[in-house]
Amino acid sequence: MKQDSETANEPVPEESAQRAFTSYAAPLVDQAIRLAKDIHDDPSPEALHKLRVSLRRLRSLWWAFAPLLDKGENSRQRAVYKFLATAAGKTRDWDILIELLKQKDGDARALMPKLEQARRDTLATSRETLLNADVKHLLRDALATTSGELHATHDADIALRKFAARRIGASERSLKKRIKRARHAKRSNYAAFHDVRKAGKKLRYLFEFFGPVLKISHKRTLKRLKKLQKRFGLLNDTVASEALLRDNAASLADADHIEAALDWLDRKRKRRLRAASELLG
């Protein structure tokens, strides 16, 4: 009995990052598999958006654990998530363009039938790509491979809280660096603003993953990140829609309708760029 009492009073070892990985990754993998299956029955914009977000979160999680993984294998797995997210995202890009142009009166209405057809054609290709990719097998294999690699390094375990703080710190520094670059960039240098959006999104995902194990609350930072992500997301929607319309102009409608839509998108992009710039300080 004495031995049991002494054992009960011993401090419980903190969970290691290596051991915690599967508890983070498995639910995300299950969710992505379910969403990939669902789009065969539900081709709605929301279903595709959920799948793309799920795959992006997986990619961010593998980035978070990159220091503990073989560099080549980690890059390969993240490339898989990017490929799948792009397949889902191509249809989503048409959805965004259509929703934007529905806000415009006049000429944009004439584009709708061909835009809707392009969306249907792209959806068929996205579905075929995801089906042929065997999403379930790809993601299950990635989870098993990475979990096995991490469990094999138990002799070099690092406490989860310490690891989480390091990775969030690295992500915060990356975001600050990109914000500084964007502050001094010309308005025409959209890549600098896009980098801020990507870095902010990655940091937000890390807070969502690791927030419960951190000692300090990051509610204020998360609130700012959500605001940043919303404004920069709206800017990205406009930039991507302009590019999509230009790239497909020849197959969509006559030049006058296309040019009027592009002029309208150009004005909207400039307004959204100003709004995004205000958040950079």
Side-chain angles (χ1 to χ4, degrees), residues 117-188:
Q117 184 58 53
R119 196 262 181 194
R120 288 191 291 271
D121 293 342
T122 304
L123 174 61
T125 301
S126 294
R127 281 172 157 171
E128 183 179 1
T129 299
L130 292 168
L131 180 62
N132 292 337
D134 191 359
V135 174
K136 182 177 180 179
H137 177 265
L138 276 175
L139 298 189
R140 293 286 187 210
D141 180 66
L143 177 60
T145 300
T146 303
S147 295
E149 182 183 346
L150 289 171
H151 289 173
T153 60
H154 62 275
D155 57 330
D157 279 358
I158 177 173
L160 175 59
R161 183 179 295 170
K162 183 177 181 180
F163 179 76
R166 284 181 181 177
R167 295 308 283 156
I168 285 177
S171 188
E172 285 180 319
R173 289 191 295 274
S174 176
L175 175 59
K176 288 178 182 178
K177 181 178 179 181
R178 282 157 177 73
I179 287 175
K180 183 178 180 180
R181 186 181 300 159
R183 281 198 193 110
H184 298 94
K186 294 181 179 179
R187 291 289 175 88
S188 59

Side-chain angles (χ1 to χ4, degrees), residues 94 111 243-255 258-259 262:
W94 285 106
L111 295 173
L244 186 63
L245 191 55
R246 288 186 189 280
D247 291 345
N248 293 274
S251 62
L252 289 174
D254 63 76
I258 293 291
E259 205 57 43
L262 285 172

Side-chain angles (χ1 to χ4, degrees), residues 20-72:
F21 171 80
T22 304
S23 65
Y24 287 115
L28 290 179
V29 166
D30 290 342
Q31 180 189 52
I33 291 171
R34 185 180 70 254
L35 290 170
K37 183 180 179 182
D38 287 349
I39 66 166
H40 293 284
D41 302 316
D42 179 11
S44 68
E46 187 61 24
L48 287 160
H49 177 61
K50 287 179 179 179
L51 175 58
R52 183 159 65 167
V53 170
S54 179
L55 291 164
R56 283 175 172 172
R57 293 187 74 210
L58 276 169
R59 193 163 181 248
S60 294
L61 182 65
W62 256 255
W63 176 87
F65 281 84
L68 306 178
L69 298 167
D70 174 76
K71 185 177 181 180

